[in-house]
Each structure stands twice: as C-alpha cells, then as structure tokens.
Amino acid sequence: MKPFSFLTLPKMTRILAGMIFAGSFAASVYAQQSGLPVNAAASVNGTIITNDMVEQGIKMAISQGQKDSPELRQVVVQKFIEVLLLSQRAEKDGLANSEKANSQLMLIRQNYLADLELSTFMAQNPISDADVQAEYNKQVASLGPQGMINEYKVSDIAVASEADAQAALNRIKKGEPFDKVAKSVSLGPNKAQGGAVGWIQPGQVSPQLAAVLANLSKGQVSPAPIQVQQGWYLVKLEDVRSSKPPTFEQAKPAIRAGLTQKKQYEFVSQIAKDSKIIIQ
C-alpha cells in the first residue's frame, strides 16, 4: 500500500470541522456499556467517530489515487483519532476560544455551507443531457460553413479582488512580463508556470473569459480585470489555432462543466443582486 498522503493533518482538520458543522459528527456521545453505538467506528474520550465520516474519508482517498482496502480504513480512522486528540487538547489548553481559532472556524463553516448550498441548488436544478446536446448543437452551428473551431493558448492570473487584478494589470502595462507578475501574485495552481494554462476551447471556460479571448489579438492581455465566480482574472492570449470540433461524446464533459459553472454564476449573481453588499 502506498504511503497514506491523501490528507495532510490540516486538511483533515478542515474536513472534520465541516462534518461538525453539517451535523454529521455526534459530539459528546458516550459509548454504551455493551460497546460502541452501531454506527460508531471509534471513540476518543467519549466522542464518537461515525462510520459515515470514515466512509467520506475513504472516498476522498480513493478519488486521489489510493486503493480501497482494510488497511486504508484503518489509516483513515487513525487520522480521525489524531485530529480528535489534538482538537480535544486544544480545547483543554484554551485555544478553541482564541480570536484566530474563531476566525478560522467561521471561515470553515462559511465555506462548507457555501459548497452545500451550491451542491443543493445543482441537485435541484441539474444540467440535463438535453441541455448539453442543445449547447453542443449551438456551438457547432456558430462555427459557420467551414465548421472549424478556434482554440486558444492562454496564460492567466487569478486573484481575489478587482483591486489586486488592477494592480497586476498596471504592472504589466508598465512593462513587466506577464509570467513574472503571475509568479508574483497569482493564486492559481499554475502560478509556478507563470500562469500558463495551455490550449483551451471556448466551451471549457466561463462565458466571461470566452468573450474576452475572442476579442484579443495574439500576445495581447485583457484590457481590464475579468470577474468570474472564482474571483478576478487577467488573461493573455499566447496563440490561436483552428481545428475540427470534437464529437459530442468528446465535448460532453467540458460542455456540462461550462453549463454548470454558468448556472452557478447566475445563481450567485441573483443572490448578490437581492442582497445589501458594502465594500470598504
């Protein structure tokens, strides 16, 4: 079995906290004299780790390349035990009520609830196969008589705010290379590569980014920050090429992902429209 690396201790802590806030974690449930409750995998000083929690940990491990096995279950249970031991000691040491702990727990709760709200919304408003087929037909029809699709070689810079994006853009306008600025400020996973994304098709990115790319010339950077659901972006068009469109089966995952992102963005935008937002 490969070394257990699917969850670092901090990441496991975040997942465990999410389960606590979701109500999956039965705090202060004590084992019965006859043994642990039916759905209990372990108990740490009377606090139960449920089998449901362990199953979630196993699923995450499998999704990241681990192989399901009795040994994997033992490791997952042990990780939960370690987290509980440390969290209980933190409570005992008075760390749980610190300003830092309260801030982090609030962020964990907010992020978990945000993900839960989006997943619930998508479960109630799923992207159907008919939706995907209609979008594919629309994209193919838009190619014109030659039936070719543009592909873009792109680099990007992802930041948290419009101000950060504008500051990065100002540096680029003053002559700093795009890749240098990306390595300096980008929050994206491609930061170390200078923001390089590679070749993409319009349907693989949000409509906002696709619209900007369609109007850029080779070597040009987006003239203004672009807001999408994940944050604020700057994009640079490195190159353009034309190719035959993929088949429906080939395009289906990317189209479904694009439609999902679009629906989520519209949902969040509507919530924001109906809310009072003040930014300092």
Side-chain angles (χ1 to χ4, degrees):
M1 179 179 173
K2 294 189 293 184
F4 183 75
S5 59
F6 87 101
L7 287 177
T8 60
L9 197 56
K11 188 168 185 180
M12 177 67 90
T13 304
R14 293 195 295 272
I15 291 172
L16 182 55
M19 293 177 180
I20 292 171
F21 288 122
S24 299
F25 182 74
S28 301
V29 177
Y30 290 88
Q32 301 170 357
Q33 289 184 353
S34 59
L36 294 175
V38 175
N39 194 36
S43 171
V44 179
N45 296 320
T47 301
I48 298 300
I49 299 169
T50 68
N51 286 315
D52 293 338
M53 293 165 59
V54 175
E55 289 303 318
Q56 290 184 50
I58 291 173
K59 286 179 181 178
M60 178 167 288
I62 293 172
S63 73
Q64 297 187 10
Q66 296 290 327
K67 185 176 180 181
D68 192 7
S69 66
E71 291 81 7
L72 177 61
R73 178 182 176 83
Q74 292 176 5
V75 175
V76 170
V77 171
Q78 185 58 41
K79 282 295 178 182
F80 274 102
I81 290 172
E82 290 175 10
V83 170
L84 266 178
L85 287 171
L86 288 170
S87 64
Q88 289 173 357
R89 176 57 66 91
E91 293 270 5
K92 183 178 179 181
D93 292 343
L95 301 178
N97 293 321
S98 67
E99 182 178 349
K100 183 176 181 180
N102 287 329
S103 296
Q104 289 298 313
L105 290 171
M106 179 183 69
L107 286 174
I108 292 170
R109 183 177 190 274
Q110 289 175 347
N111 286 328
Y112 177 84
L113 289 176
D115 289 343
L116 182 61
E117 178 64 24
L118 277 180
S119 62
T120 301
F121 170 76
M122 291 309 302
Q124 296 171 346
N125 302 272
I127 304 296
S128 68
D129 289 341
D131 294 331
V132 178
Q133 181 70 66
E135 180 64 20
Y136 176 79
N137 294 343
K138 177 183 174 182
Q139 292 185 15
V140 170
S142 69
L143 300 178
Q146 295 182 347
M148 300 296 284
I149 187 170
N150 282 336
E151 293 182 314
Y152 304 106
K153 189 177 184 181
V154 176
S155 295
D156 67 21
I157 295 173
V159 291
S161 69
E162 183 178 13
D164 291 340
Q166 188 60 56
L169 182 58
N170 291 341
R171 290 172 59 180
I172 294 168
K173 288 180 176 179
K174 290 179 180 179
E176 282 194 66
F178 188 95
D179 61 341
K180 181 179 177 182
V181 178
K183 290 179 180 179
S184 172
V185 303
S186 182
L187 302 177
N190 54 343
K191 174 180 181 176
Q193 291 74 44
V197 175
W199 290 98
I200 62 171
Q201 295 176 359
Q204 295 175 309
V205 296
S206 68
Q208 298 91 325
L209 290 173
V212 172
L213 288 171
N215 290 289
L216 291 180
S217 301
K218 182 178 176 180
Q220 189 177 7
V221 177
S222 51
I226 309 161
Q227 185 179 19
V228 298
Q229 182 181 333
Q230 295 86 349
W232 291 83
Y233 277 75
L234 299 175
V235 293
K236 179 182 179 183
L237 180 60
E238 306 284 359
D239 203 354
V240 184
R241 68 186 181 190
S242 296
S243 63
K244 291 183 179 180
T247 65
F248 174 66
E249 289 302 320
Q250 291 172 330
K252 186 159 51 173
I255 291 177
R256 185 179 296 278
L259 290 175
T260 298
Q261 188 177 58
K262 179 182 178 182
K263 181 168 283 192
Q264 290 178 342
Y265 178 80
E266 291 171 347
F267 177 54
V268 174
S269 297
Q270 185 59 51
I271 295 174
K273 183 179 178 181
D274 297 336
S275 303
K276 182 179 180 181
I277 300 175
I278 301 174
I279 300 176
Q280 183 69 30

